[in-house]
Amino acid sequence: MRIEIDEKVFDVMLEYEQIKKRIRLIGIQLNVDFENRIPVFVGVLNGSFIFLADLIKEIDISSEVTFVKVSSYDGEKSTGKIKKEIGLQMSLKDRDVVIVEDIVDSGETLRYILDMIRAEEPASINVCTLLLKPKSLKTNFEEICYVGFEIPNEFVVGYGLDYNGLGRNLKDIYRAVPKSEL
């Protein structure tokens, strides 16, 4: 199915049912890995809010949730400059931290967030991302332990991800259709 957002055309890449099944499996793994611990899930706004909301419903162990907000995108492209808009709202010292990202692309934003959290001296840091673009990564991160889907280096929207502020509300994830395919 094709949709149009702000004069850009998108095709379905991942349907909501696929996403839900994968999140259920990630939740099971997190429950096992953090059994007898109380992790803090740090959602990276704005993109992760839907993923984190669905993920936390699969978590049976005691846990806490907080958010940070950073920005680096302008439309489809990263500006390369990361701006902290909302910082940490709680101490993470000696805590088990799970950073929840919607997408890890180049890794620049993740590096920034990891540095912010490392400064808090947590007991452990793990990253859980719904989408990972391995071919776009500029750095390998040993902290990335939970990945929903590896995707090609394409621009995507939906399920929390946006294009010019639009499309976050879409249940499925869509990929931008290159002009050559229109």
Side-chain angles (χ1 to χ4, degrees), residues 89-100:
Q89 304 296 305
M90 64 187 295
S91 171
L92 300 177
K93 184 166 179 54
D94 299 323
R95 300 294 305 271
D96 293 304
V97 175
V98 179
I99 299 168
V100 180

Side-chain angles (χ1 to χ4, degrees), residues 8 25 34 40 54 59 64 79-80 91 97 109 127 157 174:
K8 191 161 196 59
L25 293 173
F34 289 93
V40 177
D54 284 348
I59 302 301
E64 293 183 66
T79 63
S91 171
V97 175
T109 301
V127 175
V157 67
Y174 295 79

Side-chain angles (χ1 to χ4, degrees), residues 23-143:
I23 290 171
R24 191 172 308 117
L25 293 173
I26 293 170
I28 290 167
Q29 191 62 53
L30 285 162
N31 287 325
V32 170
D33 292 351
F34 289 93
E35 187 176 17
N36 301 320
R37 296 191 280 174
I38 303 173
V40 177
F41 291 91
V42 179
V44 181
L45 295 173
N46 285 337
S48 75
F49 78 104
I50 293 176
F51 174 43
L52 179 54
D54 284 348
L55 179 65
I56 207 71
K57 293 173 199 168
E58 301 296 334
I59 302 301
D60 298 328
I61 57 171
S62 294
S63 61
E64 293 183 66
V65 175
T66 191
F67 294 92
V68 295
K69 182 175 182 182
V70 297
S71 62
S72 67
Y73 271 78
D74 180 26
E76 287 184 53
K77 303 281 185 220
S78 174
T79 63
K81 294 184 178 138
I82 299 163
K83 184 172 101 178
K84 179 168 53 172
E85 296 183 18
I86 299 173
L88 289 166
Q89 304 296 305
M90 64 187 295
S91 171
L92 300 177
K93 184 166 179 54
D94 299 323
R95 300 294 305 271
D96 293 304
V97 175
V98 179
I99 299 168
V100 180
E101 274 275 28
D102 55 348
I103 187 167
V104 176
D105 198 328
S106 69
E108 297 298 325
T109 301
L110 180 57
R111 178 183 296 119
Y112 181 90
I113 293 166
L114 283 167
D115 289 344
M116 180 188 345
I117 290 176
R118 281 188 195 111
E120 293 280 312
E121 300 176 1
S124 68
I125 304 173
N126 291 275
V127 175
C128 175
T129 184
L130 179 62
L131 304 173
L132 176 65
K133 293 183 180 179
K135 291 195 167 137
S136 298
L137 276 177
K138 294 179 180 172
T139 306
N140 288 327
F141 295 95
E142 63 185 40
E143 295 89 354

